[in-house]
Amino acid sequence: MRCDVIRFALSNPGDVSGLEEALAAGSIEAGDIVAVIGKTHGNGLVNDYTRGYLTLSLSLLIARHTGETPEAVRKRVPFVFSGGVEGVLSAHYTVFTAQSAEAGSGEPALAIGVAFTPDYDPGDIGRQHQIDTTATAIREAMASAGIDSPSDVHFVQIKGPAFGTDDILAARHPLVSDNAGRLMALGRAASALGVGKALGEMPADAAVEAAVLKDFSLFTSVGSCSAGTEVRCNEVIVVGMSRKWSGPLAITHGVMQDALDISGIHDVLDALDMVADPQLDERQAKRLRAGFIKCEASRNGQIRGRSHVMLTDGDIDQQRHIRGAVGAIVASVLNDTALFVSGGAEHQGPDGGGIMALIVDRETN
């Protein structure tokens, strides 16, 4: 198998012209598309419908080319969109394809697998059921990707459900919270513990409901978890390296200890034989196929001993603050603004920090 990764600009939440042109030119086959991850123009909160708009637009486009129904496309292709391109960030979407190919030279190459949990009731969010079903789906995605070892997994993207008032009132099971925004955070957190459990990043008996949004010593270094009203299950995308795949692409990951941790960015670049001094030059920046960053405002209200107002600002949600800040910092080092920078990093990287995964073309001489 061979995986390709292509980014497209997004001028508005329904703009699928880039992929449409690629499909018409034959550079991408619609049936080869296995996942799409992107950043839209919305606010990233419960009432962000730009994510569903782009999901619908892309599923309609792909269905026209494959002969499937849009519903069938959505059942096999995870569409993971995060709202919020504050500051210098650029709206975009990244298409992952998988094609049959001859076995490579034995050198590990980029590999991808996807899976879906069962649909959730609002009462399932933040519960042990969500943790455990997420862990099971991650193992299924690893198996489908031919990734044998958790150490070869470098990025797990999850999109889970967010629920509005009507759904919350109609819940079949008792709720952990009846606040829609809080329920989103609980879902992200439980999903992150599912990643940690599946990959052995934390003891299985520690990845429990009682730890959700409480024990922040527990975190995944590869998991990125989002929530939106456009889905009802956890959609899971696992990306790593495997000798069963071929191609020129590679991925690695690391953590940012806090919002200012430029050294964490450089550690990831070093692992990819890339040097930012102080910024990637144009030649190296062109090697970047995709960048995924999760970030979170520190819960103690401080960054390196000085206070921040992100958690107490009544006008701007803390996720919008942190996306704008971390997005600018990472973009300045990578010399690229089309980055997937997402807030809501509960149990995703150290508290107040986050995770980073970069997909690049290997250096060629």
Side-chain angles (χ1 to χ4, degrees), residues 13-363:
D15 174 21
V16 296
S17 59
L19 178 58
E20 190 167 24
E21 291 171 5
L23 292 171
S27 57
I28 293 178
E29 293 293 332
D32 292 339
I33 297 172
V34 294
V36 186
I37 303 175
K39 290 294 297 186
T40 66
H41 302 73
N43 60 28
L45 305 177
V46 176
N47 65 335
D48 182 353
Y49 301 108
T50 64
R51 301 169 299 206
Y53 184 22
L54 182 56
T55 296
L56 175 62
S57 299
L58 284 168
S59 60
L60 286 168
L61 172 63
I62 294 169
R64 288 202 303 270
H65 284 264
T66 62
E68 300 168 279
T69 65
E71 293 75 18
V73 173
R74 290 195 293 272
K75 285 183 178 180
R76 72 171 180 85
V77 178
F79 294 98
V80 180
F81 301 125
S82 168
V85 282
E86 295 80 5
V88 301
L89 294 174
S90 300
H92 70 283
Y93 58 97
T94 302
V95 174
F96 292 79
T97 65
Q99 310 92 29
S100 297
E102 295 182 4
S105 62
E107 183 179 16
L110 192 73
I112 184 170
V114 305
F116 301 82
T117 69
D119 284 355
Y120 294 128
D121 178 75
D124 295 324
I125 302 303
R127 301 287 193 183
Q128 193 67 44
H129 177 65
Q130 188 176 26
I131 296 171
D132 293 343
T133 52
T134 300
T136 297
I138 289 166
R139 296 186 189 106
E140 291 173 356
M142 286 178 62
S144 71
I147 300 174
D148 298 322
S149 172
S151 63
D152 292 325
V153 174
H154 292 281
F155 183 59
V156 178
Q157 178 64 61
I158 295 175
K159 188 60 178 282
F163 295 98
T165 302
D166 289 345
D167 292 319
I168 289 172
L169 292 174
R172 299 188 304 273
H173 307 299
L175 296 157
V176 180
S177 173
D178 62 1
N179 178 282
R182 175 74 173 175
L183 211 56
M184 287 181 76
L186 287 159
R188 292 189 298 262
S191 299
L193 293 185
V195 178
K197 179 178 181 178
L199 301 181
E201 294 183 285
M202 58 190 70
D205 59 3
V208 294
E209 182 178 324
V212 173
L213 294 184
K214 292 184 175 66
D215 185 355
F216 288 100
S217 69
L218 300 173
F219 63 84
T220 171
S221 63
V222 299
S224 170
C225 307
S226 297
T229 55
E230 68 275 15
V231 298
R232 283 294 177 266
C233 66
N234 270 11
E235 301 183 346
V236 175
I237 304 168
V238 172
V239 187
M241 299 292 287
S242 173
R243 296 183 186 279
K244 299 173 184 176
W245 292 64
S246 61
L249 303 185
I251 183 172
T252 196
H253 74 278
V255 300
M256 294 178 68
Q257 296 297 328
D258 62 26
L260 303 180
D261 186 14
I262 294 177
S263 64
I265 304 172
H266 285 278
D267 288 343
V268 176
L269 292 173
D270 288 345
L272 294 166
D273 295 323
M274 301 175 78
V275 178
D277 186 24
Q279 183 180 82
L280 291 181
D281 59 30
E282 184 177 358
R283 179 184 62 83
Q284 292 184 97
K286 286 181 177 179
R287 291 176 54 200
L288 184 65
R289 289 295 190 94
F292 306 98
I293 299 94
K294 267 300 232 187
C295 51
E296 183 83 354
S298 55
R299 286 172 176 78
N300 65 2
Q302 294 189 336
I303 300 175
R304 302 191 181 184
R306 296 188 183 275
S307 64
H308 67 74
V309 300
M310 289 184 278
L311 300 177
T312 56
D313 189 336
D315 297 315
I316 303 175
D317 186 85
Q318 64 95 2
Q319 287 197 47
R320 310 203 76 180
H321 273 290
I322 197 67
R323 284 194 299 258
V326 172
I329 291 169
V330 177
S332 70
V333 176
L334 299 184
N335 194 12
D336 196 326
T337 62
L339 303 171
F340 184 93
V341 179
S342 175
E346 305 89 351
H347 303 287
Q348 301 151 69
D351 183 29
I355 71 145
M356 168 183 288
L358 300 179
I359 298 175
V360 302
D361 278 301
R362 291 188 177 98
E363 186 76 78

